[in-house]
Amino acid sequence: MFYHDNELQYEVTVEEPDPRFAKMLQQAIGGAEGEMRVALQYMFQAFAVPADKGEYRRLLMETATEELGHIEMLATAVAKNLEGASDAQREAAREDAVIAEMMNSGQPRQALSAGLHAMPVDSNGVPFTGNYIVASGNLAANMYANVMAESTGRTLAARLWEMTDDPGMKDMLSYLIARDTMHQNQWHAALETMEDHVPVPNSFPQEKENQDFNYEFMSTTKDERPNPDQRWTQGESVDGNGEFSYGRQPGGGEPDLDEVIEAMHNEIN
Amino acid sequence: MFYHDNELQYEVTVEEPDPRFAKMLQQAIGGAEGEMRVALQYMFQAFAVPADKGEYRRLLMETATEELGHIEMLATAVAKNLEGASDAQREAAREDAVIAEMMNSGQPRQALSAGLHAMPVDSNGVPFTGNYIVASGNLAANMYANVMAESTGRTLAARLWEMTDDPGMKDMLSYLIARDTMHQNQWHAALETMEDHVPVPNSFPQEKENQDFNYEFMSTTKDERPNPDQRWTQGESVDGNGEFSYGRQPGGGEPDLDEVIEAMHNEIN
Amino acid sequence: MFYHDNELQYEVTVEEPDPRFAKMLQQAIGGAEGEMRVALQYMFQAFAVPADKGEYRRLLMETATEELGHIEMLATAVAKNLEGASDAQREAAREDAVIAEMMNSGQPRQALSAGLHAMPVDSNGVPFTGNYIVASGNLAANMYANVMAESTGRTLAARLWEMTDDPGMKDMLSYLIARDTMHQNQWHAALETMEDHVPVPNSFPQEKENQDFNYEFMSTTKDERPNPDQRWTQGESVDGNGEFSYGRQPGGGEPDLDEVIEAMHNEIN
Amino acid sequence: MFYHDNELQYEVTVEEPDPRFAKMLQQAIGGAEGEMRVALQYMFQAFAVPADKGEYRRLLMETATEELGHIEMLATAVAKNLEGASDAQREAAREDAVIAEMMNSGQPRQALSAGLHAMPVDSNGVPFTGNYIVASGNLAANMYANVMAESTGRTLAARLWEMTDDPGMKDMLSYLIARDTMHQNQWHAALETMEDHVPVPNSFPQEKENQDFNYEFMSTTKDERPNPDQRWTQGESVDGNGEFSYGRQPGGGEPDLDEVIEAMHNEIN
Amino acid sequence: MFYHDNELQYEVTVEEPDPRFAKMLQQAIGGAEGEMRVALQYMFQAFAVPADKGEYRRLLMETATEELGHIEMLATAVAKNLEGASDAQREAAREDAVIAEMMNSGQPRQALSAGLHAMPVDSNGVPFTGNYIVASGNLAANMYANVMAESTGRTLAARLWEMTDDPGMKDMLSYLIARDTMHQNQWHAALETMEDHVPVPNSFPQEKENQDFNYEFMSTTKDERPNPDQRWTQGESVDGNGEFSYGRQPGGGEPDLDEVIEAMHNEIN
Amino acid sequence: MFYHDNELQYEVTVEEPDPRFAKMLQQAIGGAEGEMRVALQYMFQAFAVPADKGEYRRLLMETATEELGHIEMLATAVAKNLEGASDAQREAAREDAVIAEMMNSGQPRQALSAGLHAMPVDSNGVPFTGNYIVASGNLAANMYANVMAESTGRTLAARLWEMTDDPGMKDMLSYLIARDTMHQNQWHAALETMEDHVPVPNSFPQEKENQDFNYEFMSTTKDERPNPDQRWTQGESVDGNGEFSYGRQPGGGEPDLDEVIEAMHNEIN
């Protein structure tokens, strides 16, 4: 079960509120590379770990819990970037700089639906979706999903870092980038504890996969080309179980479907 | 540009049509772990490769092209699993075994919307979405996304292999599993050519990330626990740039938002 | 503005409630081929018609209004197919035949979320989406969208008709199929009043389109094949403005992207 | 920030695993009435509370944290309902009763994508979406959203309670239903502390709303009917600011749109 | 069944067309707080009302019908805000002020897909979804969903009112805000006719819910805090059936999942 | 199976990069009227063609393959419109004109998620969805879906053509518009080969549809109006099988639903 403490995980300050940057930060909340995704992804992965693999469950759940705190930090950062105009006297809201920016930009719902606060959407305004979450039941596959999530997540945070001059925002992002560094390292470390896991899943017996095509780079260029002699077209395979080769698509005959039953009304004349 | 040849990439035969298995195969077409995702993911990644990295563009595009052929194979497999009743004489379609199965099961649209053929949806009936596609612009992040896609893809194919007794379907899946083995290996091979890429992106200078928290495992248990001495809580980090440590969430003070502007009508009394 | 009358547009009776058929009917309510789509599609198309084309606005709006009544009929049909067990005495709901069917089948939300009534979802359980609605601003394009909607709609209704033996349901579907016949005819009739509308939009001057490729069938087979002499590869074009020919993809040189700016962190080593 | 404790919030036991019930429970995890929705809804509402209304922030955040624990309980319940066959000896997975049920039913992804565990989807297999989350910035509107969420949530839990005979599941649901009772009460209690909040938002001056139509029940029947003398067509309004009356749609003239600019290519002939 | 009248429900005039405001108005058409949602929500709720509760069916259906007219008004308002440049002479559309605004802003599809008219999307450009619609089968739960929809809807309309200076738009919004006032009142009035409906559903016997936790505020702070003596932590519960108390999460032991069957290929080494 | 050639199908040049136009082009990639839709639509339609109708399969598949090349061209065009600033020396990315435009506009994910490249989303930033794809199993219905797709597609391309002054972009669009002209013509040509296909599906026997309402224009105006004597209210029907008439909605009695079973907890008091 979960607990909460009324402090943020790390300080969030904004010197000069910037509604455009608020919109960008939404990607790190509700986007494909965002914190809602990793928090819930690690949580659902943890939920599936059997009792005899408790150390992996704990690894996943502790980091899921950390990521919940990142959502909180970023939501605070969004709200602070949308503040700062509250005491102005004016007749119409559209003369307010923040609201004018909302009307110009691609995230009007931050004003219309959320009253100038964070939302569970990405920077394009698209809602968060459970589709982002990968929890396959296979721990090695999950770890690669996590390495990927933190790789795109750190790339996103680095891009955001480049887009702001605000010292508070740069400091917060410097913290989040550091955490992404750690998380990439810890998922790789977990993979190190699972020897010989490639190809995933390693419980499927390789002798049952087609032996003619499991280490061949299949060239699909229109006109045949000679082996380009790349790391992936020759030499030992990365998993150590085969030898890379270079070939063409085998071809399996033309598809030959029958008509389906009449009641489908697929016929034309 | 693309070309097509009227043969399948590999033979697709079905001895005993099974509408339930047709539904399962949809996951490998339009699902998060399916062929539409990888075909389009590799394609969009290739589209973004600059001219001076042509070998990576070719690697991605050739495999994207191969995956298009897998969609074609699987769509043929779905249609063949839904055939086989076309010459029966009957009054009402619902007495047909295939249609009865559609009515019972969770994929009625295969009859209602597609006339007993493949659709761009997953096995739960949910449409394919561009959300599945990861093309970050950063090649190393992309390769991890590809390793992940093939890891969950091979897990899916292995699970499907277990669910059928049909020799034709087992043979087709054995081929697809072999290709997933190769693809996992080739993306790993591409990563080998990018030295020192962890943490991704490696172009962000690590001295600008917060140095206190970039190699610390952050324990979030309610009550503090001693260091569990795991690979990810002590010793050299996987990227070789730091030393794992074990700590707690630092805490950053309470969030302190102001009221937003009146025109938002957030006030109550 | 709209009005309502407490009668259904056409009688809806169910002799033998069938929860499986209730699920199938959902496709005709909230599916891509369903009544929510056409009601809203015709409505949004009507909303865009300028004042000097009032007869088209009326055509669209009157039929939109008719389709609202079809949603009502189908929702009634769904509810009636889920009724019929209400007076049974039992300890646990799962022993009820209707609920058992919900648990077995692919539409459990009809029990869990809707208390055994119609929902704005399709037969796979996927929610209705504004994505289905085509309202392009160009009347001719819209009419083709409407012909298509009624063609797939009538195909759906015909398939549903085949899947039921219930006289009430067959009568209701016979009515809805008749309306689809009329609607296909009326959209075609509207197209007849727009002379020379192909290619749509006909306001774009054809001399500004590339004259070398506007009537050529572009063969993309891997190996060149001779002209198959089909209606679409030779002879006068359907719009009467050109002559069909048969050729190959022209080819436009290799893509040659530059590196993007450093701040994107796309680089690897 | 958040913390976690390796215990469930309340005991979860399953005596007789039931894969069909696992599917039903998904609605309480990733569905519109589920725990992901309320956990995140209360969290995003809390994120937006200004510092001078700290008691409301705490109310929302503490309950958000509680709901996270409900996701964990339900995910455990799903996994336990999908267990129980692990030691069987068999050749093909499809002979396994659990997998056979997945193939029959509408949630095959629980096997194919999640290896027989919980997923962030609803019982129809549709992914969780940020669309479910209501966090308007206005506290009174939010409280009504919360009353609604707990009302539909308790209805869902009661329906689930009826669909199982398993004592462990009945006990868990009895706990969750009790919490829904409390949560409904606490949101109502919060509304009691906001006097005169109807109509929401109460900061919009009512004298600026159209005074002719703000307390009139607008009858839209095709043929006029006499006032039915209901609570909502006569007598004092519930907010105490007006008197209910009964009338008809006023009518505002025909819409009269101009043609739009030529470059849109809306014209036909 | 439904009828239509070629007048708008209320006059819609725009003095100074404003493409940015057109975008904002989309939230009131296809957004979570918009008119498509309430029109269809009330309609689906009405479809589910049994014959012996006809007065509620009429209440819901008459207001659904009214809301259809609001979609029509708002779509007209969007089109009028995108007009006004039609007679300009120019070479390229991008020099047109309206189109330039579409290119700048976050709603380019209003030009590209709709030829400068209303669409079934929200102000962020996200399509309307059936997910917004709540029709639970339980009338009390539905009424709370309706109070919530009108509360967020009126908040949205008030925010829009603040963002425009156009007298025509202010007048139209003043009308819509008035209707939201009435609708909030009428749903509250309907709740008044359902005595003792809290907790919803009131047909579930409260003695079957867990008696230890149904009126306890469950504090989830990391460190225990004393009872803050709020309305929701002490005193009589709002439903009058219990006494509020203040406690902690009970704890239910560690989750203890078994391994699932081998055919899932969840194992690592 | 598919092949690829490292050339674009047609030359793509950009003289003056324009990030706003890059955003607009996204509609032609991942939008409802875009190339991903037609490529996959024609492909899924081809997958369903039985062996004895090979010429239609080839027609569909060859054009699907052509459209894949259009995605490639457009993705290149997007990337080129986002280039051009790569050698600037600067401290913060936000001073870069391209990134500033991303922050202003409605497509920030092109920077944040894709490092300034094409994405599988539309111009509003909404992800591509399988919902766009129509593949009904009935060839005539499919051809109308294709006519519609190319009609809205050519309208989109024409609008884009109007929005750019760049000679390279105008040339590329002139090519794509030409292809849309051909594709409209070829789908019409295919329809010509299917005689008497209206109403679709023509395999459903018209004598089984309700004979009273299959050629009647159903007027739904509130107050009856005389026959407006339009092409669709009198004279021979377009399919030649009937005579248009003009009437009113028949009416089918009031809906009369029973209460559903108690276990649904729909009751209030």
Side-chain angles (χ1 to χ4, degrees), chain C:
Chain C
M1 77 195 109
F2 294 83
Y3 300 87
H4 186 260
D5 180 319
N6 208 24
E7 270 196 88
L8 297 172
Q9 186 180 103
Y10 187 85
E11 196 180 21
V12 176
T13 60
V14 174
E15 299 201 0
E16 274 187 73
D18 177 357
R20 296 192 310 161
F21 198 63
K23 177 177 67 178
M24 306 311 264
L25 286 171
Q26 283 290 153
Q27 190 63 25
I29 294 175
E33 309 87 357
E35 305 286 359
M36 290 177 75
R37 185 246 182 99
V38 284
L40 290 162
Q41 177 161 306
Y42 304 159
M43 211 183 279
F44 274 87
Q45 290 180 5
F47 293 155
V49 178
D52 63 349
K53 295 210 175 58
E55 76 273 26
Y56 292 114
R57 185 182 181 103
R58 186 165 297 177
L59 167 63
L60 288 161
M61 193 63 93
E62 296 214 45
T63 307
T65 307
E66 180 191 343
E67 305 287 14
L68 290 170
H70 295 182
I71 306 175
E72 192 180 21
M73 287 169 60
L74 284 157
T76 304
V78 166
K80 282 177 180 268
N81 272 294
L82 294 169
E83 273 180 358
S86 62
D87 52 357
Q89 299 301 320
R90 73 198 89 71
E91 281 301 290
R94 60 183 308 175
E95 288 164 29
D96 176 78
V98 178
I99 289 181
E101 179 57 34
M102 292 293 109
M103 291 184 72
N104 282 332
S105 88
Q107 197 73 287
R109 287 191 66 204
Q110 275 186 332
L112 294 175
S113 297
L116 298 178
H117 292 98
M119 297 186 70
V121 305
D122 71 15
S123 62
N124 279 7
V126 174
F128 176 79
T129 163
N131 274 331
Y132 295 142
I133 297 169
V134 178
S136 70
N138 180 289
L139 262 177
N142 287 353
M143 287 303 129
Y144 281 114
N146 299 353
V147 167
M148 180 277 259
E150 297 286 348
S151 295
T152 51
R154 193 170 178 272
T155 303
L156 169 65
R159 288 168 178 165
L160 287 167
W161 187 92
E162 303 279 1
M163 291 180 190
T164 183
D165 289 328
D166 190 276
M169 286 295 93
K170 271 197 149 26
D171 184 52
M172 178 188 79
L173 287 163
S174 164
Y175 173 79
L176 292 173
I177 292 168
R179 296 312 298 153
D180 289 341
T181 296
M182 175 59 194
H183 293 160
Q184 284 187 39
N185 273 278
Q186 75 186 42
W187 307 132
H188 278 293
L191 282 164
E192 281 189 7
T193 68
M194 307 173 200
E195 290 171 37
D196 291 336
H197 58 269
V198 179
V200 176
N202 72 349
S203 57
F204 185 82
Q206 276 199 268
E207 66 272 15
K208 290 190 177 154
E209 71 186 24
N210 185 311
Q211 302 296 312
D212 297 329
F213 299 106
N214 51 357
Y215 292 101
E216 180 186 88
F217 183 82
M218 199 170 275
S219 177
T220 57
T221 49
K222 175 171 173 278
D223 302 309
E224 278 191 56
R225 290 186 177 134
N227 189 329
D229 296 345
Q230 296 288 331
R231 176 69 186 88
W232 45 84
T233 63
Q234 60 180 6
E236 199 193 16
S237 68
V238 175
D239 62 14
N241 301 344
E243 195 79 14
F244 282 135
S245 64
Y246 183 79
R248 300 281 292 174
Q249 300 176 87
E254 303 206 358
D256 54 336
L257 301 185
D258 291 341
E259 283 283 358
V260 295
I261 60 174
E262 270 175 51
M264 284 297 102
H265 294 295
N266 290 347
E267 309 80 2
I268 36 111
N269 317 136

Side-chain angles (χ1 to χ4, degrees), chain E:
Chain E
M1 76 195 111
F2 294 83
Y3 300 88
H4 186 260
D5 179 317
N6 207 23
E7 271 196 88
L8 296 171
Q9 187 180 104
Y10 187 85
E11 196 180 20
V12 176
T13 60
V14 174
E15 299 201 359
E16 274 187 75
D18 176 357
R20 296 191 310 162
F21 197 62
K23 177 176 69 178
M24 306 310 264
L25 287 171
Q26 283 290 153
Q27 191 63 26
I29 294 176
E33 309 87 358
E35 305 286 359
M36 290 178 74
R37 184 250 181 97
V38 284
L40 290 162
Q41 177 161 306
Y42 304 158
M43 211 183 281
F44 274 87
Q45 290 180 6
F47 294 155
V49 178
D52 63 348
K53 295 209 175 60
E55 76 274 23
Y56 292 114
R57 185 182 181 103
R58 185 164 298 177
L59 167 63
L60 287 160
M61 192 63 93
E62 296 215 44
T63 306
T65 306
E66 180 192 342
E67 305 286 15
L68 290 171
H70 294 182
I71 306 175
E72 192 180 21
M73 288 169 61
L74 285 158
T76 304
V78 166
K80 281 176 181 268
N81 273 294
L82 294 170
E83 275 181 358
S86 63
D87 51 359
Q89 298 302 322
R90 72 198 90 72
E91 281 301 289
R94 60 185 307 177
E95 288 163 29
D96 176 78
V98 177
I99 290 182
E101 179 57 34
M102 291 295 109
M103 291 185 71
N104 282 332
S105 89
Q107 197 72 286
R109 286 191 68 203
Q110 274 186 330
L112 294 174
S113 298
L116 298 177
H117 292 98
M119 298 186 70
V121 305
D122 70 15
S123 62
N124 279 6
V126 174
F128 177 79
T129 163
N131 274 331
Y132 295 142
I133 297 168
V134 178
S136 70
N138 180 288
L139 262 177
N142 286 353
M143 287 303 128
Y144 281 115
N146 299 353
V147 167
M148 181 276 258
E150 297 286 349
S151 295
T152 53
R154 193 169 178 273
T155 303
L156 169 64
R159 288 168 178 165
L160 287 167
W161 187 93
E162 302 279 1
M163 291 181 191
T164 183
D165 290 327
D166 190 277
M169 286 296 93
K170 271 199 148 27
D171 184 52
M172 178 188 80
L173 288 163
S174 165
Y175 173 78
L176 292 173
I177 292 169
R179 297 311 299 152
D180 289 342
T181 297
M182 174 59 195
H183 294 161
Q184 284 186 40
N185 273 278
Q186 74 187 42
W187 307 132
H188 278 293
L191 282 164
E192 280 190 8
T193 68
M194 307 172 200
E195 289 171 39
D196 291 336
H197 58 267
V198 179
V200 176
N202 73 348
S203 56
F204 185 83
Q206 276 200 268
E207 66 272 16
K208 291 189 176 155
E209 70 186 25
N210 185 311
Q211 302 296 310
D212 297 329
F213 298 106
N214 51 356
Y215 292 100
E216 180 187 271
F217 183 84
M218 199 170 275
S219 177
T220 57
T221 50
K222 175 172 173 277
D223 301 309
E224 279 192 54
R225 290 182 177 140
N227 188 328
D229 295 346
Q230 297 289 331
R231 175 68 185 86
W232 47 84
T233 63
Q234 60 180 6
E236 199 193 16
S237 68
V238 175
D239 62 15
N241 302 343
E243 195 78 15
F244 282 135
S245 64
Y246 182 80
R248 300 282 292 173
Q249 299 176 90
E254 303 207 358
D256 54 336
L257 302 185
D258 291 342
E259 285 282 359
V260 295
I261 60 173
E262 271 176 50
M264 283 298 103
H265 294 295
N266 290 348
E267 310 80 2
I268 36 114
N269 318 135

Side-chain angles (χ1 to χ4, degrees), chain A residues 1-8 44 47-48 61 65 68 72 75 113-115 117 119-120 127-131 135-137, chain D residues 1-5 7-8 44 47-48 61 65 68 72 75 113-115 117 119-120 127-131 133 135-137:
Chain A
M1 78 195 109
F2 294 83
Y3 300 87
H4 186 259
D5 179 318
N6 207 24
E7 271 197 88
L8 297 171
F44 274 88
F47 293 155
M61 192 63 93
T65 307
L68 290 171
E72 193 181 20
S113 297
H117 291 98
M119 298 186 70
F128 177 79
T129 162
N131 274 331
S136 69
Chain D
M1 76 195 110
F2 294 82
Y3 300 88
H4 185 260
D5 179 319
E7 272 196 87
L8 297 172
F44 274 88
F47 293 155
M61 192 63 93
T65 305
L68 290 170
E72 192 181 21
S113 298
H117 292 99
M119 298 186 70
F128 177 78
T129 163
N131 274 331
I133 297 168
S136 70

Side-chain angles (χ1 to χ4, degrees), chain E residues 1-4 6 47 49-53 57 92-94 99-100 103-109 111-115 124-127 136-140 193-196 201-204, chain F residues 18 20-21 23-24 27 32-33 101 104-106 122-124 126 132 156 159-160 162-165 220-223 225 248-252 254-259 262 265-269:
Chain E
M1 76 195 111
F2 294 83
Y3 300 88
H4 186 260
N6 207 23
F47 294 155
V49 178
D52 63 348
K53 295 209 175 60
R57 185 182 181 103
R94 60 185 307 177
I99 290 182
M103 291 185 71
N104 282 332
S105 89
Q107 197 72 286
R109 286 191 68 203
L112 294 174
S113 298
N124 279 6
V126 174
S136 70
N138 180 288
L139 262 177
T193 68
M194 307 172 200
E195 289 171 39
D196 291 336
N202 73 348
S203 56
F204 185 83
Chain F
D18 177 357
R20 296 192 310 162
F21 197 63
K23 177 177 68 179
M24 306 309 265
Q27 190 63 26
E33 309 87 358
E101 179 57 34
N104 281 332
S105 89
D122 71 15
S123 61
N124 279 6
V126 175
Y132 295 143
L156 169 64
R159 287 169 179 165
L160 287 168
E162 302 279 0
M163 291 181 192
T164 183
D165 289 327
T220 57
T221 50
K222 175 172 173 276
D223 302 310
R225 289 182 178 139
R248 301 281 292 173
Q249 301 176 88
E254 303 207 358
D256 54 337
L257 302 185
D258 290 344
E259 283 282 359
E262 270 176 51
H265 293 295
N266 290 348
E267 310 79 1
I268 35 112
N269 316 136

